[in-house]
Amino acid sequence: MAKKELFKENGEGEEVCKADFPPNFVFGVATAAYQIEGACNEGSRGASIWDSFSHTEGKIIDGSSGDVAVDHYHRYKEDVNLIHKFGFDAYRFSISWSRIFPDGVGTKVNEEGIAFYNNLINALIEKGIQPFITLYHWDLPLHLQETIGGWLDKQIVNYFAIYADTCFAHFGDRVKNWITINEPLQTAVNGYDTGIFAPGRREGSSEEPYLAAHHQILAHATAGSIYRSKYKDKQGGQIGLVLDCEWAEANSDKIEDKSAASRRLDFQLGWYLCPLYYGDYPAVMLERLGDRLPKFSEEEKKLLLNSLDFLGLNHYTSRFISHATSCSEESYFYKAQEMERIVEWEGGEKIGEKAASEWLYIVPWGLRKVLNYIARKYNNPPIYITENGMDDEEDNSLPLSEILDDKLRVHYFKGYLAAVAQAIKDGADVRGYFAWSLLDNFEWAQGYTKRFGLVYVDYKNSLTRHPKSSAYWFSRFLKGGEKKNGKEN
Ligand code: GBH
């Protein structure tokens, strides 16, 4: 198919309204603990790998850290009020493991940590907002890194299980939606291969990312089985895993490009979903990585199957993929895929408009395609889109009023929500959608130079919150006031 046709075929430019979604579809906003909480030395919190990574020179582009972040730890009530004011049904946030067990080892629960999350959960429930909790969004207790090498040691599975069990026991009476791990691929590849994320491993040992992934898969499945055997009947909730996936569109109709695109998807999603739905890594990874991939025992394979009630999908962007035997990345993980990610079509036109981050192009039709791909390949599982959004560059020279009028972000959300509505019509079982992010926040290696929030945070003036146009757009959309062709009632 000609590339230009992709855009028409996928209904780009259509308007979207709430009535395009099923009646109990969940709309929410998302954040993660290290990116927003701050208060790094309060409440008897232990250090995490992101504290030490961000305090290591040269790791964060603006030399910043999450020490204070946007001070959500102290301002959670104000933030919950914002979520409520915009009319969202749900809030996805993560728990900082080292607030619950400061050294990660599950011997003594830190009551101050429990109290903070109890307060947050209660504030949400009071406003009728459903909590969706991520247990692990990258902030491993530092002690576990220093003593056992973090995700490289199988003992981590047991520590994670104790932590998860503790959270189910304390919060599960009110929390019905659990996510074990956010984007295990990012921890595996950027944490243990390229080294751009904590713990910043870049040893060139080609086994580390696969071990880190393997133990995350087992940790997910073990926590899932604990939830199912001890809590699910009583508490009536559900448990899932969040994966990140860019859509991979073959760059041409050539068979090599098509198989490169399909490999790319197997290396992103299949890496996790094949074990969890079919009991082992995808054939193409087994072929190409051989003994680098750890093996699951028969007993473990049983544990993996049926460990997901739903799949969380973080999706931001897409690429054209072509077959390529040479690869610019030094990483073995990328080399083994023999593919190249392409932004420009012939003629120099881009796959979509660029956001602030180098990697983020606006390609709404990619989301429809990835949802349909998952539905087809993995037997139509329930899916929540757990993150979707775009960023603006931090720019001190613009007046606030201009920064707050984030027209491109409104365009982004309209396009991607329309793509979700279309995927549902196509038959994908999508149950919810979470915008990333409620607030501008600590954007990992990019520090505070990138702003993903629906709400602007004034870093220079006591972290004051200012809703952007996109927040007001969402609030009209959620009230059902945003109608086809932009006409309101
Ligand atoms: C999400 O990951 C994270 O879950 C969230 O915490 C984060 O704030 C959000 O993205 C926005 O970035 O391409 O080499 O420059 C999405 C997957 C992985 C995409 C890392 C960007 C940057 C590394 N992200 N990637 S690189």
Side-chain angles (χ1 to χ4, degrees):
M1 186 195 324
K3 288 177 191 160
K4 285 236 152 92
E5 297 302 309
L6 276 171
F7 291 80
K8 285 188 227 136
E9 192 186 80
N10 288 284
E12 189 121 327
E14 269 180 35
E15 286 293 330
V16 65
C17 71
K18 202 182 172 192
D20 295 332
F21 294 84
N24 39 18
F25 192 86
V26 172
F27 288 98
V29 275
T31 62
Y34 190 71
Q35 295 181 273
I36 63 164
E37 283 182 4
C40 67
N41 289 321
E42 289 178 59
S44 310
R45 173 185 180 273
S48 85
I49 55 173
W50 270 95
D51 294 296
S52 82
F53 189 75
S54 61
H55 284 276
T56 307
E57 208 178 314
K59 300 297 185 193
I60 311 298
I61 192 171
D62 57 359
S64 66
S65 75
D67 287 2
V68 178
V70 297
D71 196 31
H72 172 76
Y73 187 80
H74 296 113
R75 302 180 199 217
Y76 72 91
K77 278 191 187 146
E78 179 185 351
D79 294 339
V80 169
N81 284 339
L82 285 167
I83 302 169
H84 176 65
K85 178 174 140 188
F86 304 139
F88 288 103
D89 315 310
Y91 175 48
R92 173 179 175 236
F93 62 95
S94 79
I95 291 182
S96 154
W97 184 342
S98 61
R99 285 197 191 280
I100 305 300
F101 292 114
D103 60 4
V105 180
T107 39
K108 196 171 171 296
V109 179
N110 171 28
E111 292 302 334
E112 287 176 86
I114 299 286
F116 170 67
Y117 293 109
N118 268 334
N119 291 340
L120 171 59
I121 291 164
N122 292 342
L124 290 164
I125 304 272
E126 212 172 282
K127 298 281 183 193
I129 302 163
Q130 300 175 53
F132 277 61
I133 293 190
T134 311
L135 292 170
Y136 185 75
H137 199 126
W138 306 356
D139 45 357
L140 190 78
L142 183 59
H143 178 76
L144 291 180
Q145 191 66 43
E146 290 176 337
T147 50
I148 63 167
W151 290 103
L152 296 180
D153 189 315
K154 202 167 186 175
Q155 293 178 74
I156 193 82
V157 174
N158 194 34
Y159 291 129
F160 181 76
I162 296 168
Y163 161 57
D165 194 335
T166 306
C167 292
F168 302 146
H170 282 85
F171 309 126
D173 56 331
R174 289 149 293 154
V175 177
K176 305 302 165 194
N177 298 283
W178 293 98
I179 290 155
T180 50
I181 297 178
N182 181 70
E183 300 184 354
L185 180 145
Q186 295 303 322
T187 295
V189 174
N190 286 329
Y192 289 87
D193 189 9
T194 70
I196 63 168
F197 287 172
R201 299 278 302 169
R202 204 200 169 111
E203 304 302 295
S205 142
S206 52
E207 270 134 53
E208 290 196 3
Y210 310 109
L211 262 181
H214 197 73
H215 295 146
Q216 289 181 90
I217 294 168
L218 289 171
H220 159 79
T222 306
S225 95
I226 290 172
Y227 187 70
R228 284 170 177 215
S229 61
K230 279 175 75 175
Y231 299 99
K232 196 174 165 138
D233 287 347
K234 214 166 40 193
Q235 299 181 347
Q238 52 174 356
I239 187 156
L241 172 70
V242 164
L243 301 178
D244 55 305
C245 188
E246 297 180 358
W247 174 243
E249 179 74 25
N251 190 42
S252 81
D253 282 339
K254 280 190 233 139
I255 185 86
E256 308 89 88
D257 288 345
K258 287 189 171 169
S259 41
S262 119
R263 267 199 311 279
R264 165 77 176 148
L265 291 166
D266 270 337
F267 271 76
Q268 288 179 89
L269 275 183
W271 191 1
Y272 303 93
L273 288 187
C274 285
L276 296 172
Y277 286 125
Y278 304 120
D280 207 348
Y281 293 114
V284 69
M285 289 188 80
L286 289 164
E287 262 161 44
R288 284 169 182 251
L289 300 168
D291 287 342
R292 289 185 177 88
L293 283 179
K295 301 205 174 13
F296 295 111
S297 69
E298 288 310 310
E299 209 176 308
E300 286 168 348
K301 286 183 182 180
K302 280 191 213 120
L303 186 74
L304 302 184
L305 299 173
N306 301 313
S307 70
L308 279 179
D309 293 321
F310 66 89
L311 169 65
L313 174 71
N314 288 356
H315 176 88
Y316 290 84
T317 195
S318 294
R319 289 291 186 278
F320 292 114
I321 302 292
S322 70
H323 178 78
T325 42
S326 69
C327 165
S328 53
E329 305 269 352
E330 266 168 63
S331 134
Y332 188 86
F333 172 75
Y334 284 105
K335 281 203 171 74
Q337 298 179 54
E338 290 193 298
M339 59 88 197
E340 195 182 7
R341 296 161 68 227
I342 296 173
V343 167
E344 286 186 6
W345 325 347
E346 359 23 288
E349 208 170 332
K350 301 271 193 293
I351 190 169
E353 209 167 332
K354 194 178 151 297
S357 277
E358 282 312 313
W359 54 273
L360 213 174
Y361 290 82
I362 306 176
V363 191
W365 53 265
L367 178 51
R368 180 182 181 185
K369 289 212 161 192
V370 81
L371 290 169
N372 279 315
Y373 168 86
I374 294 168
R376 228 180 16 251
K377 182 144 184 175
Y378 297 101
N379 199 19
N380 210 7
I383 302 175
Y384 289 83
I385 293 150
T386 36
E387 287 180 28
N388 177 243
M390 61 152 271
D391 57 345
D392 292 311
E393 195 74 42
E394 160 72 328
D395 183 350
N396 286 325
S397 68
L398 295 174
L400 185 60
S401 60
E402 208 167 299
I403 299 173
L404 294 183
D405 193 15
D406 56 342
K407 296 193 181 69
L408 188 58
R409 185 171 289 100
V410 172
H411 169 77
Y412 182 101
F413 285 133
K414 282 183 179 172
Y416 277 86
L417 282 165
V420 176
Q422 284 169 326
I424 294 171
K425 284 197 195 99
D426 298 336
D429 185 7
V430 191
R431 310 264 174 106
Y433 171 97
F434 291 77
W436 183 270
S437 181
L438 171 64
L439 302 155
D440 292 336
N441 60 48
F442 177 75
E443 177 51 21
W444 307 112
Q446 298 295 314
Y448 298 97
T449 66
K450 302 288 187 292
R451 294 177 174 272
F452 274 92
L454 299 183
V455 175
Y456 179 87
V457 177
D458 191 340
Y459 298 123
K460 301 238 157 59
N461 291 295
S462 58
L463 303 172
T464 313
R465 276 80 164 133
H466 300 275
K468 302 179 190 175
S469 296
S470 55
Y472 294 116
W473 177 81
F474 253 112
S475 123
R476 291 194 302 277
F477 169 84
L478 293 169
K479 287 196 189 94
E482 197 71 18
K483 287 289 182 256
K484 299 271 178 198
N485 308 319
K487 280 186 217 125
E488 291 193 22
N489 287 354

